[in-house]
Amino acid sequence: RRRKFIAKIKYILSKEWPDKGIRVHPFGSTVNGLGTSRSDVDLCLTTPWEDPVNSICNMHVLASCLRANGMTKICTVTKAKVPICKFFDPELRISCDINVNNTIALRNTTLVKLYVELDPRVRPVILIIKHWAKQRVLNDETAKGGTLSSYCWVMMVLNFLQTRDPPIIPCLHQLYFDRLKDRNDLLTPIIIDGVDCSFEEDITSLKDFGRKNNETLGGLVYAFFRQFAFEFDYETQVVSVRHGRLLSKKEKEWDQDVDRMCRHLCVEEPFTPHRNLANSADLLSVKGLRMEFQRALRVLEETASVEAACEPFVLP
């Protein structure tokens, strides 16, 4: 059904603009191994056609085309950092978000996919935490209302798995940078917006990387909640998948303008390192998040039930 939907969008766009070199790339959970049967489809359109008024870079132009081809529930989000067009295909019953030329989304999809493939515990831990966050109203795809985006939650889990003792997954960025030092002339970096977005993509020799860590799935979920309930220092630390460790706010110069820039919880975006993925959460929101981590930990200690920890949040 998803393949049929993607083929349909390709057909619509090539029929409407046959000479504009538009390519359709699925990304996110559709590709990275974290999708479920209920997941929306995320698409990135790439094209050299960048007319800001008349091209598909204008979300309203894209929306008009989709509406003319039977799509419904169309909504354009033009003020976001990455403008998107949301819509629903009533024939195939699929919801979709489309952006244009946001190629970093394709890189982070590949990165997450490789991490998911490295150890069988990665996918279920991420899915449990994402489910918990959704049930407790801590996850919003547009990161509104002081909640965190799915991508931010995924980065928090990946860094948590990188920093276990012993680690469960390596730092693919660091492995690439190590190779770059050794064989500078043999590697061609992938530069997007002035940032080297390369990482180690050959994971053949890394399949047993996490073998020395024998933590169970349940133990890891418990440890994740414990880390962000009590162990993580919100005042001084930064979650960094790009470095495979916890950085200090001081070394990133994120210890300044904390209130104005919403740097109360800091999660570095691995491909735009100056961006804090958690800047949607102000001080009050972060206090609420910590209370939710503590609640989840308490419920697990009392019931040993992930299902109980994931009970839906009900307004008092």
Side-chain angles (χ1 to χ4, degrees), residues 8-77:
K8 181 177 180 179
I9 297 302
K10 287 179 180 177
Y11 172 75
I12 289 170
L13 295 173
S14 63
K15 179 187 69 171
E16 192 76 21
W17 298 289
D19 58 344
K20 299 302 183 184
I22 300 170
R23 298 182 65 189
V24 179
H25 310 267
F27 71 97
S29 61
T30 305
V31 179
N32 64 22
L34 298 176
T36 67
S37 59
R38 293 172 294 176
S39 299
D40 296 347
V41 172
D42 294 305
L43 297 178
C44 172
L45 309 183
T46 56
T47 176
W49 182 34
E50 292 191 333
D51 180 336
V53 177
N54 301 306
S55 80
I56 56 170
C57 294
N58 181 339
M59 289 296 115
H60 299 297
V61 171
L62 187 57
S64 296
C65 171
L66 293 169
R67 189 176 291 110
N69 282 275
M71 303 301 159
T72 61
K73 301 179 184 177
I74 297 171
C75 172
T76 57
V77 184

Side-chain angles (χ1 to χ4, degrees), residues 116-174:
V116 167
E117 291 173 356
L118 273 171
D119 190 281
R121 292 166 288 186
V122 178
R123 183 177 189 270
V125 172
I126 291 175
L127 289 180
I128 288 169
I129 298 304
K130 282 179 66 177
H131 175 65
W132 166 80
K134 204 169 192 70
Q135 291 287 90
R136 301 301 298 172
V137 200
L138 304 171
N139 169 223
D140 187 302
E141 286 310 314
T142 54
K144 289 180 180 175
T147 67
L148 305 178
S149 68
S150 283
Y151 182 49
C152 184
W153 284 111
V154 171
M155 291 301 109
M156 289 169 71
V157 175
L158 290 179
N159 177 258
F160 163 75
L161 297 174
Q162 288 175 324
T163 55
R164 301 309 291 154
D165 185 16
I168 290 175
I169 54 175
C171 176
L172 295 178
H173 280 89
Q174 193 58 54

Side-chain angles (χ1 to χ4, degrees), residues 163-309:
T163 55
R164 301 309 291 154
D165 185 16
I168 290 175
I169 54 175
C171 176
L172 295 178
H173 280 89
Q174 193 58 54
L175 290 173
Y176 162 78
F177 291 130
D178 289 345
R179 281 211 300 141
L180 195 62
K181 290 174 190 171
D182 296 338
R183 302 189 305 174
N184 190 38
D185 56 328
L186 297 181
L187 296 173
T188 305
I190 298 172
I191 307 296
I192 301 175
D193 296 334
V195 176
D196 190 344
C197 294
S198 313
F199 48 82
E200 182 56 65
E201 297 189 52
D202 181 3
I203 60 170
T204 311
S205 62
L206 300 171
K207 289 292 187 179
D208 290 327
F209 182 88
R211 185 168 47 87
K212 292 180 181 177
N213 183 303
N214 58 11
E215 289 177 278
T216 64
L217 180 57
L220 287 168
V221 171
Y222 177 85
F224 177 85
F225 287 133
R226 184 182 62 210
Q227 174 162 317
F228 287 100
F230 297 113
E231 297 168 355
F232 181 77
D233 189 339
Y234 289 80
E235 292 283 325
T236 65
Q237 292 181 318
V238 177
V239 170
S240 174
V241 169
R242 184 178 179 88
H243 294 272
R245 61 185 176 89
L246 294 173
L247 306 178
S248 72
K249 288 185 182 181
K250 188 172 184 179
E251 67 186 293
K252 284 192 66 66
E253 299 182 352
W254 284 4
D255 57 338
Q256 304 162 32
D257 290 333
V258 172
D259 286 320
R260 186 174 66 85
M261 301 296 290
C262 275
R263 290 169 173 165
H264 302 285
L265 168 60
C266 290
V267 181
E268 180 189 65
E269 208 289 329
F271 299 105
T272 48
H274 63 273
R275 182 181 167 213
N276 174 20
L277 289 171
N279 68 357
S280 51
D282 60 14
L283 181 59
L284 189 62
S285 302
V286 171
K287 285 181 178 176
L289 281 169
R290 293 184 74 173
M291 289 172 64
E292 282 292 337
F293 288 127
Q294 290 163 10
R295 173 206 162 268
L297 196 64
R298 185 175 66 252
V299 171
L300 286 178
E301 288 172 346
E302 292 171 356
T303 68
S305 168
V306 171
E307 190 175 341

